């Protein structure tokens, strides 16, 4: 399976499991709260909201999707393909990181009440998301259950 096919398959899985819908809903609620709160308070809360968003996507969705895939035998099926599990991890982490970056833009703009330094925020969120998503996938692949994670 080519890398592009793996990314498309992973995108379909995440869409089917409503990862984007639930993450988007949580981020829109956070953004709405940040818009309502006054400018000074929202600027103080935004870094924590962004960390919460990245941690939610990484720890909850990356881990639960990985445990679900292991339970239904996706790892066994991937072991018979040329790309194997080595193509699975970058696809999962890449799409979840892209989701975190998109949602961070919305939450960051809402918290700043307009203009904000997009580049440093997206670099920080991207690196944090890569780290948390990759760690969550690696740990969940070895965990016996979500509670063991």
């Amino acid at each position: 399976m080519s890398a592009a096919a793996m990314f498309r398959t992973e995108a379909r899985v995440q869409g089917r499991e409503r990862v984007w819908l639930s993450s988007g809903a949580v981020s829109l609620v956070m953004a709405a709260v940040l818009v309502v709160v006054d400018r000074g308070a929202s600027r103080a809360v935004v870094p924590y909201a962004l960390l919460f968003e990245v941690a939610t996507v990484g720890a909850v969705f990356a881990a639960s999707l990985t445990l679900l895939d292991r339970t239904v035998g996706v790892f066994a099926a991937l072991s018979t393909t040329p790309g194997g599990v080595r193509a699975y991890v970058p696809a999962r982490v890449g799409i979840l990181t892209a989701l975190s970056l998109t949602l961070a833009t919305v939450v960051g703009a809402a918290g700043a009440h307009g203009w904000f330094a997009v580049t440093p925020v997206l670099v920080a969120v991207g690196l944090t998301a890569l780290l948390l998503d990759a760690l969550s996938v690696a740990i969940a692949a070895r965990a016996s259950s979500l509670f063991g994670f």
Side-chain angles (χ1 to χ4, degrees):
M1 183 179 273
S2 71
M6 184 64 79
F7 273 86
R8 281 192 304 273
T9 301
E10 182 62 29
R12 280 196 311 268
V13 167
Q14 290 182 22
R16 183 182 67 228
E17 297 298 331
R18 293 179 177 79
V19 170
W20 301 338
L21 180 68
S22 51
S23 291
V26 169
S27 293
L28 286 176
V29 168
M30 283 193 295
V33 168
L34 291 170
V35 166
V36 172
V37 175
D38 73 321
R39 184 180 215 116
S42 67
R43 284 188 177 266
V45 172
V46 165
Y48 301 106
L50 290 174
L51 183 61
F52 174 76
E53 184 271 325
V54 170
T56 301
V57 169
V60 174
F61 292 119
S64 61
L65 287 170
T66 303
L67 285 166
L68 176 68
D69 287 349
R70 198 182 81 208
T71 302
V72 298
V74 170
F75 292 154
L78 282 173
S79 66
T80 64
T81 63
V85 179
R86 289 176 298 214
Y88 164 88
V89 174
R92 167 129 320 142
V93 170
I95 291 176
L96 289 174
T97 300
L99 174 65
S100 289
L101 289 170
T102 304
L103 298 175
T105 304
V106 173
V107 172
H113 293 272
W115 184 89
F116 71 108
V118 176
T119 303
V121 169
L122 292 184
V123 167
V125 167
L127 292 174
T128 305
L130 277 174
L131 175 69
L132 287 177
D133 294 347
L135 281 174
S136 295
V137 168
I139 293 170
R142 299 182 188 280
S144 59
S145 69
L146 192 57
F147 297 111
F149 170 74

